[in-house]
Amino acid sequence: MADLQRLAIASHQIDKQKVFLTVEQQRYLGRVLRLGVGEKFIVMDGEGKWWLAKLSLDVSGKSGLIAILEAEISIQNELPIDLILICALPKGNSFDEVVRQSTELGVTEFFPVISSRTLLKPSPQRLRRWEKIATEAAEQSERQVVPRIRDVGEYFATLALFESQNLSTNCDRYICVARNSYSLLLESLLDNRKQESIVIATGPEGGWTNEEIEAAIATGFQAVSLGKRILRAVTAPLVALSIVNSVLERRNI
């Protein structure tokens, strides 16, 4: 089934064994993927389930094309624990690629934040764009889960969320800091083998301020280094997530 195309849908689109496709999804299957009636593909609900599906005409007339679910597919491509990224928004459209590549690396939830040195002030339309990018990246990378992207928040307000009951339990938190003598992220991960979830925070162009670092540490974050070189704001999350991936995948073998 590796050669079959994949389509992410919302669970509410499923009614018994039928998936009622949106106009955009029908256009994507027909015009972009060039699938015809009777051809098979994989449907994923973004919450962990995959099905083998067949494209069919909707005889009820509610929509042009529907998908018929033929069989559930058992697959496990996710990391063994949740991986959360707090990312100070980089300038321009750079966060688009952070979302795309971080989704490929297994992030389950994004917290885009505005910090003291953040240059970008995104419009509400950006969130919908990021959600679309995350969905496409999840399809491409054969993820079972489409990551959640939170509304853009102010940095200190986001930290406060991790002191609340919902986000404070059983998660190891790391804030990546440049130009420092902190322990390497890799060393910290190897020292702790009982993580139930991991939170990674990466800064903006120019890095975190001292006040921001101190606030994170006070909230239970461990300050860590990604190495001696100074990484760009769009590079740091990918380096950090790659390190986490290597450790978790090795443990899961």
Side-chain angles (χ1 to χ4, degrees):
M1 295 186 183
D3 58 339
L4 292 179
Q5 301 287 355
R6 291 168 295 280
L7 177 72
I9 56 123
S11 56
H12 66 76
Q13 292 179 248
I14 302 174
D15 183 11
K16 297 179 180 178
Q17 295 303 111
K18 296 180 180 179
V19 180
F20 290 93
L21 303 168
T22 66
V23 173
E24 184 179 3
Q25 289 167 343
Q26 293 180 52
R27 185 180 300 115
Y28 175 70
L29 289 170
R31 296 184 183 178
V32 179
L33 301 183
R34 299 188 180 279
L35 294 181
V37 171
E39 292 193 86
K40 297 184 179 182
F41 60 102
I42 293 172
V43 163
M44 46 185 285
D45 68 356
E47 299 174 3
K49 291 185 177 181
W50 280 27
W51 293 269
L52 178 65
K54 180 172 68 175
L55 196 61
S56 177
L57 290 172
D58 180 15
V59 295
S60 70
K62 293 181 181 179
S63 62
L65 295 171
I66 60 173
I68 305 296
L69 303 181
E70 296 193 332
E72 189 168 345
I73 300 171
S74 178
I75 189 168
Q76 180 50 262
N77 288 340
E78 294 297 312
L79 293 173
I81 62 176
D82 287 339
L83 179 53
I84 299 166
L85 177 64
I86 299 173
C87 184
L89 289 171
K91 59 187 177 182
N93 295 322
S94 300
F95 193 62
D96 291 8
E97 282 307 304
V98 173
V99 170
R100 189 184 312 279
Q101 296 174 28
S102 298
T103 297
E104 294 174 17
L105 289 167
V107 166
T108 52
E109 191 165 10
F110 290 89
F111 284 80
V113 297
I114 295 176
S115 67
S116 298
R117 293 171 176 160
T118 298
L119 301 176
L120 177 68
K121 299 297 186 289
S123 65
Q125 289 75 24
R126 284 288 180 93
L127 179 60
R128 290 191 290 272
R129 174 176 171 78
W130 294 333
E131 289 172 337
K132 185 174 185 293
I133 289 171
T135 298
E136 292 171 350
E139 292 171 348
Q140 178 274 320
S141 59
E142 300 189 6
R143 292 277 308 269
Q144 293 158 262
V145 174
V146 176
R148 177 185 181 185
I149 303 181
R150 298 263 188 160
D151 290 334
V152 176
E154 193 271 333
Y155 172 75
F156 292 104
T158 299
L159 285 185
L161 293 175
F162 286 86
E163 292 182 314
S164 69
Q165 184 177 0
N166 291 338
L167 295 176
S168 64
T169 57
N170 300 320
C171 65
D172 285 8
R173 311 165 197 176
Y174 302 96
I175 180 168
C176 302
V177 184
R179 298 187 178 92
N180 65 79
S181 57
Y182 296 121
S183 298
L184 292 170
L185 173 61
L186 177 60
E187 294 175 347
S188 299
L189 291 169
L190 292 175
D191 287 343
N192 186 354
R193 297 179 174 272
K194 296 183 179 180
Q195 298 102 335
E196 294 187 22
S197 63
I198 292 177
V199 182
I200 299 290
T202 60
E205 285 86 355
W208 302 112
T209 65
N210 289 334
E211 182 184 9
E212 289 167 342
I213 297 168
E214 292 167 2
I217 293 172
T219 311
F221 282 74
Q222 178 182 346
V224 293
S225 170
L226 296 178
K228 295 180 179 180
R229 288 150 302 284
I230 305 303
L231 305 177
R232 295 174 62 226
V234 294
T235 307
L238 306 181
V239 171
L241 295 172
S242 296
I243 293 170
V244 174
N245 262 256
S246 297
V247 172
L248 295 180
E249 295 277 15
R250 184 171 180 271
R251 288 181 193 169
N252 208 35
I253 294 175

